[in-house]
Amino acid sequence: MEGEGWQISEVVALLGMGRRAIQRSCGQNLVSGDLGIVRVGASKPGRRSYDADELAQLHLVNVMNQDGMDLVSVRDAFLRAQDTGGIGALTVVFREA
């Protein structure tokens, strides 16, 4: 980890999540298929880094995706969770399922 967060290559290695899935999960460009599930803080152009909270959210995205949910369904679940108590509530509900 480089002082300010994890780089995408490190996130790929840590989570076993594909680079494109990470980009789609965090990107905001709907034209290119991004879903904006995880909001990533500001970083240097071309050097996006992920903090611990973003890494935890990406882990949850990955677990839900591996459990059979497509990324659009994961995004919808995140949006519902944000409206009804936050991502922490989603984590609890998902663990009970």
Side-chain angles (χ1 to χ4, degrees):
M1 186 169 111
E2 245 189 66
E4 46 186 69
W6 289 269
Q7 300 301 306
I8 194 165
S9 60
E10 296 169 311
V11 176
V12 167
L14 287 167
L15 300 182
M17 188 175 186
R19 180 186 269 306
R20 184 63 188 130
I22 294 167
Q23 292 169 330
R24 286 191 69 213
S25 297
C26 297
Q28 303 300 314
N29 185 349
L30 301 179
V31 174
S32 68
D34 294 344
L35 298 169
I37 300 167
V38 176
R39 303 283 182 196
V40 179
S43 28
K44 297 176 189 172
R47 296 276 309 157
R48 177 181 284 173
S49 63
Y50 303 84
D51 67 21
D53 185 53
E54 295 157 352
L55 191 67
Q57 289 180 53
L58 279 169
H59 172 68
L60 182 56
V61 168
N62 194 36
V63 168
M64 294 170 78
N65 187 237
Q66 288 179 343
D67 198 45
M69 293 178 77
D70 61 40
L71 289 177
V72 172
S73 297
V74 172
R75 180 201 57 204
D76 294 344
F78 267 64
L79 290 172
R80 282 191 307 275
Q82 289 170 349
D83 290 341
T84 60
I87 301 304
L90 178 61
T91 304
V92 172
V93 169
F94 192 75
R95 280 190 209 153
E96 294 174 356

